[in-house]
Amino acid sequence: DTGVSQDPRHKITKRGQNVTFRCDPISEHNRLYWYRQTLGQGPEFLTYFQNEAQLEKSRLLSDRFSAERPKGSFSTLEIQRTEQGDSAMYLCASSLEGASNYGYTFGSGTRLTVV
Amino acid sequence: QKEVEQDPGPLSVPEGAIVSLNCTYSNSAFQYFMWYRQYSRKGPELLMYTYSSGNKEDGRFTAQVDKSSKYISLFIRDSQPSDSATYLCAMSKASNTGKLIFGQGTTLQVKP
């Protein structure tokens, strides 16, 4: 197992365009998390899935953001009508239920730049 | 006021020094405490975790939690240039979601 994989690593997009990121968690992990990290700040929780069910969403996740995890495997995070304020590192993490409170494994992130 | 406060630094120390990194928090519901290390343009990597109050040691790293003071620390002994990174404290409540609340991160530079 190669850990949590995120694609693409970098994305530059024009304001107003839609973007989609993909996360492949560690195969036996049933929980998947999305976080956003801006420069000089710690990661901020966006949403999490247990298997295919999206169980919690942050207030940070405006209606322009949508996340899916079909069949409880990989996940996608889509941002519609991107704004310059969306520029950040988008981090995905995964864990096993029960082990979640002891931390989890992060991917290397997708760095989004909106110009 | 943020739930978790962490001095962003930067902190610069000579190789071999003992490093002390700290976080304070305001929510007494936090029960699980973690330290992550993040290298530039990489995702955070879990270093240490503790449950409730107490100390935990792993090699050159020691994590301390003082719930009465709402204060957690990470000590790094015999610091190495390879320890240069951003250190993030994180914590979660005793719920089953595993959602983490992170500090801002402290940037550490260990000079040879």
Side-chain angles (χ1 to χ4, degrees):
Chain A
D1 195 342
T2 56
V4 178
S5 177
Q6 291 190 246
D7 183 70
R9 291 296 308 278
H10 305 277
K11 178 72 176 178
I12 300 174
T13 190
K14 291 184 178 180
R15 189 175 51 189
Q17 298 293 306
N18 299 344
V19 293
T20 300
F21 311 140
R22 177 180 170 122
C23 172
D24 287 272
I26 293 172
S27 56
E28 62 267 28
H29 285 182
N30 62 340
R31 287 190 169 175
L32 187 148
Y33 302 81
W34 285 99
Y35 281 77
R36 180 172 68 189
Q37 185 176 25
T38 54
L39 198 62
Q41 300 297 316
E44 294 177 294
F45 171 82
L46 291 178
T47 189
Y48 102 95
F49 292 83
Q50 181 160 311
N51 301 312
E52 67 275 9
Q54 187 174 19
L55 296 186
E56 187 171 348
K57 291 167 56 173
S58 164
R59 292 189 305 273
L60 294 174
L61 216 64
S62 77
D63 56 5
R64 296 186 298 106
F65 289 71
S66 61
E68 295 182 343
R69 192 182 182 198
K71 301 179 182 178
S73 56
F74 70 92
S75 176
T76 58
L77 178 67
E78 181 183 17
I79 308 174
Q80 296 182 328
R81 306 180 303 280
T82 52
E83 302 173 356
Q84 287 190 321
D86 297 331
S87 295
M89 173 84 91
Y90 289 84
L91 292 162
C92 176
S94 70
S95 75
L96 274 173
E97 179 182 0
S100 301
N101 281 329
Y102 292 98
Y104 27 69
T105 303
F106 279 92
S108 291
T110 293
R111 183 170 296 279
L112 173 66
T113 302
V114 181
V115 297
Chain B
Q1 183 186 3
K2 292 183 178 180
E3 282 189 287
V4 181
E5 298 279 357
Q6 184 176 9
D7 186 339
L11 182 62
S12 182
V13 301
E15 183 176 355
I18 297 174
V19 176
S20 172
L21 303 166
N22 311 292
C23 287
T24 59
Y25 63 95
S26 57
N27 194 333
S28 58
F30 289 133
Q31 297 284 339
Y32 301 86
F33 304 91
M34 284 136 276
W35 286 94
Y36 282 82
R37 178 175 60 196
Q38 186 173 28
Y39 292 112
S40 181
R41 301 188 179 278
K42 297 287 187 182
E45 169 195 12
L46 182 64
L47 274 179
M48 302 279 287
Y49 65 83
T50 53
Y51 170 68
S52 195
S53 287
N55 293 0
K56 185 172 183 179
E57 188 173 322
D58 184 3
R60 296 185 296 112
F61 299 90
T62 299
Q64 288 186 349
V65 175
D66 182 349
K67 290 192 70 183
S68 63
S69 301
K70 297 189 179 67
Y71 188 88
I72 69 171
S73 301
L74 177 71
F75 297 95
I76 307 174
R77 291 182 298 280
D78 187 25
S79 56
Q80 302 295 310
S82 59
D83 294 328
S84 299
T86 295
Y87 289 81
L88 296 154
C89 64
M91 40 200 85
S92 68
K93 300 173 186 176
S95 64
N96 201 27
T97 67
K99 180 173 73 175
L100 298 183
I101 307 300
F102 283 86
Q104 184 177 357
T106 300
T107 300
L108 171 67
Q109 183 180 23
V110 181
K111 295 183 176 180

